[in-house]
DNA sequence: TAGTCTGGGCTTTTT
DNA sequence: GCCCAGACTA
C-alpha cells in the first residue's frame, strides 16, 4: 500500500518508531510541542490503513470533548489523504473517559442500581445533596463545610474507595463517612450518578462481571490514551480492565504537564504503567516543533527547579527568536490595558492576527479586569469557559427543569424548580411533600404526578388550601411537559416550559442583569436547537459533561482569554501570562504543600510552552486578592528564568509607591544566582521563636534564599534566610 | 409566603 | 469584594 508512506512522511525517527511500534503496551513520553497528538492520530490511522484494524475496534480516550473532536478530524483527514478511507469514520470510538463510561453504564444499566435513564449530577448538585445529608445527620453546615465533604467523597471515589471501606480516623472523616453513605443512597433514590460514579461504576461493572470484561475486551482490542499523566486511580483501573490479554495499550503523556492532581490525577501512573507492563516499549519525543529556543530555555529553567523528575532536553530548530518580555503593571486595570495595547501594536503591522493571541491566567476571576478593559475599548475577545455559562443560575434552572421532565425522580432538580419562579410553595409545604414522599416510598416528583391520577387518595398528609392548589398546578404543568417530552423537538419543549412558567417576566426585572439573564436563556435555547436530532437524553449528557475547553472556537478572529488549565494542549503564536504574583501564581492555597507547589510550577511550565513565537509575562504591583488591594510580591517562578532570556519593559512610574517598588525589583540588573544556597530540604534547623524544624523547600529568590520550614511547634512557615537567622543543626 | 437584610464565609484549577 | 444561607420583617 503506497499510502503507508504518506502516513509516515514528515515525521521524525522517534515519532515514526512510536507510530509503527508493534502491538502491545507502548508508552510515549513527549515534551510539549513534540507532536504527541500527531503521533496518536497517526498511530490510529496507521493501524487502520496498514494493519487493517477495523475502526470500531479502536478505543481512543482523551480528557476533553474538544480533544476528541480534533483527533477525529485529524485521523479522518489522514486517512482521506492516504486514499485508504473515504467515508467518515463514524465508527471510531473517540471520547472522553467520562463520556465513554457514561455510554457503558447506559448500555449495561440492568446490572446497575440505577436505570438507563439516570442523570449525571454536577458539582453543584453534589453539594446540594451533601448539604441534605449533613442536615439529616444534624451537622451544622458551618462547622463541617459541605464543599469539603463533597471534595472528600469525590477523591475517595477517584481512589475507588466506597463508603464501607472509607477510613474514618478523625471526627471530620467520620462525618464524611456517614455523609458518603447517605449520599450514595440519595443519589440512587434520585436515579442519579455523579461525575465520579461514572468511572467508579464502570470499574466495578468490569471487575465484578467476567462476561462484561470479555465483551468489552473483544469490542476494543486496541486502546489509546491521550494526556496519560492526568489519569486518576479509577481511570487507570478502567484502562487495565479494558486492556485485553495481550494488552494493546498505547499511552502518551508528559509528567511535567500533570496539572490535575486536585482531581485525583496521579502522574505516577506513568511509572505504574512501566511496572505493570514491563514488556512495554517506551519512546521519548524531545524535539519541539512549536516554540523558539528562548521560550524552551525559559520553560526548562522553570521546570528544572523541580526535584525528583527526570530531565528532558527540549530543543528546536526554530532558532532563538525574540526575548521574553517581562512587564510590571501597577494594578489589574493597567495589566489589562498593557495587554490590549501590546496586542494592538503587534497586530497593527499585519503579520500577527488577533486570533493568534492568548491571555492566560491562574484563576477565572482574573479575566474580569481584562474583559473590562477590552469591553470598554470595544475590542472583541473570546472567553473560554463553559462553567461560566452552564453554572449561571438561569441556565441551571432551565437544566433542572429539563432533568425533571426527563426524570421525575430527580429530587435535587425538583426542589430547585418547585418554587422557581415563586408560585406560592413555601418551606412548610416542601417539608410536608418530602415527608409524604418518604411515607409513600417515592420521590416527591412522582408523588405529585400520581396525585393527579388518583386524586386526593394519594395526597394524604399533604397540606390543603392555597398551597395544595399551587402544588396541583405545578403537577399539571409537569404532567404536560412529560407528555410532550417525546413528541416535541427539544427547543420547542424548552420554549413551552419557558412559556408555561413565564420565566421571561421572572428574569426581566428592569435591570441590566435581568436582561443579560434572559439573553443567556435564549443562548441556551440556541444550543438546544443543535441537539434537536439526538434528543433530550443526549442533550442532558452533553450539558453535564461539557468542559471549559469545549467552548473554544475559531469562529472569530479575536484574542482568547483562558485559564492555564484550559490552555493545556493548545498553542498560540503570542501568549500573555498575567498575574505572575505570589498568591496568584503560585496560588495562595499551594503555599503550605510542597506537592501542590510543584503543581503550580508545572502549571506555569504548561503556560510558557503554549507560546510559539512571543511570550509576555505580566505582573501587577497592587492586586486585590480578597478584600482591599494589597502590594503583591513577584512570583517566585519569575526568578527562575535566566535574565538573559528576558527583556525589561516597565511602565512609567505613576506613584512614589510604585517608583520605590521598582527600585527594589530591578529585573534587568538582577543576577540570576546572586545568593549562594545555604539550605537544602531535609535539613534540621533552629529558629529563635519557632524552635526546631525541618526545611521542606529552599530556593534562591533574587538575592535571598527563601525557605519553607516545618516547625515542630509552630507549623509550616515561609522565611527569608537573611532575616530568619536560622541555625543549621544537621543535614 | 416573599422579599429584604445581614452576617459570615470564602476565596483554584474542572470532567 | 462577592456570594450565599439563614434570619427577619411585611
Amino acid at each position: 500500500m503506497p499510502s503507508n508512506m504518506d502516513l509516515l512522511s514528515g515525521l521524525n525517527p522517534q515519532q515514526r518508531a512510536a507510530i509503527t511500534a508493534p502491538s502491545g503496551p507502548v508508552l510515549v513520553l513527549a515534551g510539549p510541542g513534540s507532536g504527541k497528538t500527531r503521533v496518536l492520530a497517526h498511530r490510529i490511522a496507521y493501524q487502520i490503513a496498514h494493519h487493517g484494524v477495523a475502526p470500531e475496534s479502536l478505543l481512543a480516550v482523551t480528557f476533553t470533548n474538544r480533544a476528541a473532536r480534533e483527533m477525529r478530524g485529524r485521523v479522518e483527514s489522514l486517512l482521506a489523504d492516504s486514499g485508504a478511507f473515504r467515508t467518515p469514520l463514524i465508527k471510531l470510538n473517540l471520547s472522553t473517559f467520562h463520556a465513554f463510561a457514561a455510554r457503558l453504564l447506559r448500555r449495561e444499566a440492568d446490572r446497575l442500581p440505577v436505570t438507563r435513564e439516570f442523570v449525571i449530577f454536577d458539582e453543584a448538585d453534589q453539594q446540594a445533596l451533601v448539604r441534605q445529608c449533613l442536615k439529616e445527620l444534624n451537622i451544622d453546615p458551618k462547622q463541617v463545610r459541605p464543599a469539603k465533604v463533597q471534595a472528600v467523597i469525590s477523591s475517595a471515589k477517584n481512589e475507588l474507595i466506597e463508603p464501607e471501606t472509607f477510613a474514618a480516623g478523625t471526627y471530620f472523616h467520620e462525618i464524611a463517612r456517614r455523609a458518603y453513605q447517605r449520599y450514595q443512597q440519595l443519589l440512587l433514590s434520585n436515579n442519579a450518578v455523579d461525575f465520579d460514579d461514572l468511572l467508579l461504576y464502570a470499574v466495578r461493572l468490569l471487575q465484578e462481571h467476567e462476561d462484561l470484561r470479555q465483551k468489552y475486551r473483544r469490542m476494543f482490542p486496541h486502546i489509546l490514551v491521550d494526556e496519560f499523566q492526568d489519569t486518576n486511580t479509577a481511570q487507570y483501573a478502567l484502562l487495565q480492565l479494558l486492556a485485553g490479554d495481550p494488552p494493546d495499550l498505547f499511552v502518551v503523556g508528559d509528567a511535567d504537564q500533570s496539572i490535575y492532581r486536585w482531581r485525583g490525577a496521579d502522574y505516577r501512573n506513568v511509572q505504574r504503567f512501566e511496572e505493570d507492563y514491563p514488556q512495554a516499549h517506551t519512546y521519548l519525543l524531545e524535539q519541539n516543533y512549536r516554540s523558539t529556543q528562548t521560550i524552551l530555555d525559559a520553560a526548562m529553567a522553570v521546570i528544572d527547579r523541580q526535584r525528583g523528575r527526570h530531565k528532558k532536553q527540549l530543543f528546536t530548530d526554530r532558532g532563538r527568536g525574540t526575548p521574553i518580555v517581562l512587564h510590571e503593571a501597577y494594578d489589574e486595570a493597567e495589566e489589562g490595558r498593557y495587554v490590549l495595547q501590546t496586542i494592538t501594536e503587534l497586530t497593527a503591522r499585519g503579520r500577527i492576527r488577533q486570533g493568534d493571541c492568548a491571555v492566560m491566567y491562574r484563576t477565572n476571576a482574573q479575566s474580569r479586569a481584562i474583559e473590562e478593559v477590552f469591553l470598554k475599548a470595544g475590542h472583541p475577545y473570546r472567553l473560554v469557559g463553559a462553567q461560566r455559562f452552564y453554572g449561571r443560575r438561569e441556565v441551571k434552572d432551565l437544566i433542572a427543569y429539563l432533568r425533571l421532565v426527563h426524570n421525575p425522580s430527580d429530587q435535587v432538580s425538583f426542589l430547585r424548580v418547585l418554587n422557581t419562579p415563586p408560585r406560592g410553595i413555601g418551606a412548610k409545604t416542601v417539608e410536608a411533600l418530602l415527608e409524604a414522599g418518604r411515607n409513600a416510598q417515592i420521590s416527591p416528583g412522582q408523588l405529585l404526578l400520581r396525585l393527579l391520577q388518583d386524586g386526593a387518595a394519594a395526597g394524604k398528609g399533604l397540606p390543603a388550601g392555597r398551597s395544595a392548589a399551587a402544588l396541583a398546578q405545578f403537577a399539571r404543568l409537569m404532567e404536560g411537559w412529560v407528555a410532550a417530552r417525546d413528541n416535541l423537538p427539544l427547543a420547542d419543549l424548552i420554549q413551552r416550559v419557558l412559556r408555561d412558567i413565564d420565566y421571561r417576566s421572572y428574569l426581566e426585572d428592569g435591570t441590566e442583569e435581568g436582561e443579560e439573564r434572559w439573553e443567556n436563556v435564549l443562548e441556551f435555547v440556541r444550543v438546544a436547537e443543535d441537539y434537536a436530532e439526538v434528543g433530550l437524553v443526549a442533550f442532558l449528557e452533553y450539558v453535564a459533561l461539557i468542559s471549559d475547553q469545549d467552548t473554544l472556537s475559531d469562529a472569530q478572529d479575536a484574542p482568547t482569554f483562558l485559564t492555564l488549565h484550559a490552555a493545556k494542549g493548545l498553542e498560540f503564536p503570542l501568549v500573555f501570562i498575567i498575574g505572575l504574583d505570589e498568591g496568584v501564581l503560585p496560588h495562595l492555597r499551594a503555599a503550605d504543600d510542597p506537592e501542590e507547589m510543584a503543581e503550580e510550577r508545572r502549571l506555569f511550565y504548561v503556560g510558557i510552552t503554549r507560546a510559539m513565537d512571543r511570550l509576555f509575562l505580566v505582573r501587577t504591583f497592587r492586586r486585590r486578592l480578597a478584600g482591599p488591594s494589597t502590594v503583591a510580591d513577584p512570583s517566585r517562578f519569575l526568578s527562575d528564568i535566566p535574565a538573559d532570556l528576558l527583556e525589561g519593559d516597565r511602565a512609567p512610574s505613576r506613584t512614589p509607591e510604585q517608583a520605590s517598588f521598582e527600585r527594589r525589583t530591578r529585573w534587568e540588573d538582577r543576577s540570576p544566582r546572586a545568593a549562594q544556597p545555604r539550605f537544602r530540604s531535609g535539613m534540621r534547623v533552629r529558629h529563635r521563636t519557632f524552635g526546631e524544624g525541618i526545611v521542606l523547600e529552599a530556593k534562591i529568590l533574587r538575592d535571598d534564599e527563601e525557605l519553607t520550614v516545618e516547625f515542630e511547634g509552630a507549623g509550616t512557615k515561609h522565611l527569608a534566610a537573611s532575616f530568619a537567622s536560622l541555625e543549621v543543626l544537621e543535614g
Side-chain angles (χ1 to χ4, degrees):
Chain A
M1 247 194 260
S3 61
N4 295 337
M5 285 314 295
D6 301 337
L7 284 176
L8 296 176
S9 65
L11 296 163
N12 71 33
Q14 290 86 349
Q15 291 174 331
R16 217 176 276 202
I19 289 160
T20 58
S23 150
V26 174
L27 174 62
V28 179
L29 297 173
S34 60
K36 179 163 49 88
T37 317
R38 195 162 177 228
V39 164
L40 210 47
H42 276 78
R43 170 82 177 184
I44 294 172
Y46 188 78
Q47 296 257 53
I48 295 171
H50 182 75
H51 292 299
V53 167
E56 64 270 22
S57 72
L58 284 157
L59 171 65
V61 215
T62 59
F63 274 84
T64 66
N65 298 298
R66 204 185 88 91
R69 207 162 44 232
E70 259 183 26
M71 184 76 69
R72 184 181 301 274
R74 283 175 100 143
V75 173
E76 281 175 6
S77 69
L78 276 175
L79 288 173
D81 289 352
S82 72
F85 262 77
R86 267 175 205 88
T87 49
L89 287 167
I90 36 170
K91 287 172 171 174
L92 200 56
N93 296 286
L94 243 163
S95 70
T96 65
F97 271 103
H98 288 83
F100 170 76
R103 265 207 320 276
L104 191 150
L105 297 194
R106 292 208 198 274
R107 197 177 298 171
E108 312 300 340
D110 49 331
R111 312 224 196 168
L112 289 173
V114 291
T115 74
R116 196 171 306 276
E117 286 74 35
F118 67 81
V119 289
I120 301 168
F121 274 11
D122 69 13
E123 199 178 307
D125 306 322
Q126 294 175 41
Q127 269 191 42
L129 215 52
V130 167
R131 197 170 285 276
Q132 195 179 330
C133 296
L134 293 180
K135 206 169 176 181
E136 285 182 22
L137 293 169
N138 277 322
I139 304 291
D140 178 5
K142 278 182 182 144
Q143 308 244 302
V144 178
R145 294 216 326 278
K148 214 175 158 204
V149 174
Q150 187 268 321
V152 168
I153 293 174
S154 172
S155 52
K157 288 184 176 184
N158 284 326
E159 294 292 321
L160 300 174
I161 297 166
E162 290 179 78
E164 299 75 46
T165 45
F166 188 89
T170 63
Y171 172 74
F172 172 75
H173 279 87
E174 176 55 26
I175 300 294
R177 191 185 63 78
R178 292 186 202 175
Y180 185 6
Q181 213 151 27
R182 182 69 188 130
Y183 173 84
Q184 279 315 93
Q185 290 169 354
L186 283 179
L187 275 178
L188 294 186
S189 64
N190 280 278
N191 197 28
V193 305
D194 65 19
F195 281 140
D196 310 304
D197 282 335
L198 291 172
L199 302 171
L200 183 67
Y201 280 136
V203 168
R204 290 290 181 248
L205 276 182
L206 295 179
Q207 272 174 343
E208 286 161 15
H209 301 280
E210 169 74 21
D211 60 318
L212 289 185
R213 204 157 59 235
Q214 294 309 329
K215 174 177 163 186
Y216 283 94
R217 284 182 176 181
R218 266 197 305 277
M219 206 182 282
F220 306 117
H222 313 283
I223 302 175
L224 303 96
V225 188
D226 194 12
E227 307 282 11
F228 182 70
Q229 77 283 350
D230 283 330
T231 52
N232 60 33
T233 301
Q235 286 158 337
Y236 187 68
L238 185 60
L239 288 174
Q240 281 193 304
L241 286 161
L242 285 170
D245 191 23
D248 188 28
L249 193 50
F250 188 93
V251 308
V252 303
D254 177 8
D256 290 337
Q257 292 184 64
S258 165
I259 53 174
Y260 285 103
R261 200 179 90 91
W262 49 274
R263 219 168 60 199
D266 189 352
Y267 59 87
R268 280 168 302 203
N269 280 344
V270 175
Q271 284 162 33
R272 209 161 291 152
F273 184 87
E274 289 177 303
E275 287 159 21
D276 290 341
Y277 302 101
Q279 75 275 36
H281 288 90
T282 303
Y283 300 90
L284 223 66
L285 309 182
E286 289 187 307
Q287 179 162 5
N288 180 292
Y289 296 94
R290 179 184 296 154
S291 311
T292 65
Q293 193 62 48
T294 297
I295 290 168
L296 293 181
D297 286 348
M300 282 190 287
V302 166
I303 201 72
D304 282 347
R305 296 290 303 257
Q306 193 75 52
R307 279 172 288 111
R309 59 180 277 282
H310 93 224
K311 271 196 183 181
K312 273 198 290 289
Q313 193 59 39
L314 304 177
F315 63 96
T316 179
D317 51 20
R318 288 204 47 200
R320 292 224 59 80
T322 317
I324 294 164
V325 175
L326 186 64
H327 178 81
E328 296 166 7
Y330 176 68
D331 60 12
E332 286 149 307
E334 202 198 85
E335 192 173 51
R337 285 195 293 274
Y338 170 74
V339 169
L340 176 58
Q341 190 191 339
T342 310
I343 289 177
T344 307
E345 277 168 16
L346 288 168
T347 51
R349 289 174 220 152
R351 298 229 337 267
I352 298 167
R353 295 182 320 128
Q354 295 280 332
D356 291 339
C357 308
V359 183
M360 302 176 186
Y361 35 82
R362 177 65 179 85
T363 69
N364 276 306
Q366 289 172 262
S367 75
R368 202 181 175 133
I370 300 272
E371 282 184 76
E372 261 167 36
V373 171
F374 275 63
L375 278 175
K376 219 181 273 174
H379 197 110
Y381 59 86
R382 298 177 293 179
L383 185 71
V384 178
Q387 306 308 323
R388 301 212 131 199
F389 180 69
Y390 288 94
R392 299 192 79 102
R393 200 188 73 208
E394 60 276 17
V395 177
K396 289 224 68 173
D397 281 349
L398 263 186
I399 292 173
Y401 269 105
L402 290 181
R403 290 208 311 210
L404 184 64
V405 173
H406 162 65
N407 170 22
S409 301
D410 182 342
Q411 191 176 320
V412 170
S413 298
F414 177 79
L415 291 178
R416 179 179 185 108
V417 303
L418 184 58
N419 202 33
T420 311
R423 49 175 76 92
I425 302 172
K428 273 212 157 133
T429 313
V430 170
E431 207 33 67
L433 189 59
L434 288 176
E435 179 63 31
R438 270 194 292 272
N439 290 337
Q441 300 268 323
I442 55 172
S443 70
Q446 298 281 11
L447 183 76
L448 271 195
L449 287 178
R450 192 175 294 179
L451 189 69
L452 282 181
Q453 275 153 25
D454 41 82
K460 259 184 231 149
L462 284 184
R466 211 174 43 171
S467 50
L471 278 179
Q473 204 209 338
F474 183 70
R476 270 193 295 279
L477 286 179
M478 244 177 90
E479 191 186 38
W481 300 328
V482 172
R485 181 179 65 192
D486 302 318
N487 313 319
L488 231 48
L490 184 55
D492 294 354
L493 178 67
I494 299 176
Q495 293 286 13
R496 170 160 174 192
V497 172
L498 288 174
R499 208 164 358 96
D500 284 353
I501 64 176
D502 199 11
Y503 200 53
R504 183 172 186 173
S505 52
Y506 167 64
L507 287 183
E508 289 189 338
D509 52 1
T511 65
E512 211 170 294
E513 194 191 348
E515 202 60 45
E516 198 178 299
R517 288 187 189 281
W518 180 246
E519 284 296 314
N520 287 327
V521 169
L522 294 181
E523 173 63 24
F524 183 75
V525 176
R526 269 193 292 279
V527 178
E529 273 162 8
D530 296 341
Y531 278 76
E533 306 266 304
V534 291
L536 183 56
V537 186
F539 180 63
L540 287 176
E541 185 151 312
Y542 161 78
V543 167
L545 296 181
I546 194 165
S547 75
D548 272 2
Q549 271 206 9
D550 300 333
T551 59
L552 182 62
S553 88
D554 306 323
Q556 197 187 4
D557 182 29
T560 304
F561 300 172
L562 72 180
T563 62
L564 288 163
H565 281 89
K568 195 175 65 154
L570 305 177
E571 60 181 22
F572 297 90
L574 206 144
V575 169
F576 292 83
I577 303 178
I578 65 169
L580 278 159
D581 302 291
E582 281 293 300
V584 180
L585 183 64
H587 195 271
L588 201 64
R589 297 264 303 225
D592 44 8
D593 182 346
E595 283 279 335
E596 283 199 24
M597 187 55 78
E599 182 142 313
E600 297 289 310
R601 182 179 289 282
R602 291 195 293 269
L603 198 49
F604 185 39
Y605 174 75
V606 166
I608 295 173
T609 54
R610 298 310 94 197
M612 297 160 74
D613 304 320
R614 300 293 309 271
L615 178 62
F616 296 81
L617 305 175
V618 190
R619 68 164 303 262
T620 288
F621 171 46
R622 271 200 168 282
R623 176 172 296 283
R624 237 192 35 238
L625 272 174
S629 84
T630 51
V631 175
D633 283 330
S635 168
R636 66 188 70 185
F637 301 145
L638 285 175
S639 56
D640 295 333
I641 300 176
D644 59 347
L645 300 177
L646 297 172
E647 182 180 276
D649 163 20
R650 271 181 285 105
S653 303
R654 222 154 297 254
T655 63
E657 184 185 41
Q658 189 189 13
S660 100
F661 165 72
E662 283 170 0
R663 255 177 270 119
R664 282 194 290 125
T665 55
R666 286 156 302 160
W667 297 104
E668 57 278 29
D669 2 320
R670 171 172 65 82
S671 49
R673 293 287 177 270
Q676 286 301 309
R678 270 180 60 219
F679 299 89
R680 274 184 301 104
S681 68
M683 271 182 174
R684 273 199 83 72
V685 293
R686 180 186 291 132
H687 185 272
R688 287 176 58 170
T689 42
F690 300 141
E692 289 187 18
I694 302 231
V695 177
L696 296 181
E697 198 175 27
K699 61 177 43 158
I700 301 296
L701 192 72
R702 287 197 291 282
D703 49 358
D704 201 341
E705 194 168 11
E706 191 188 272
L707 304 175
T708 308
V709 185
E710 169 90 51
F711 288 103
E712 275 151 19
T716 308
K717 301 280 175 198
H718 301 281
L719 307 165
S722 59
F723 290 108
S725 72
L726 288 165
E727 183 187 344
V728 177
L729 299 175
E730 62 181 70

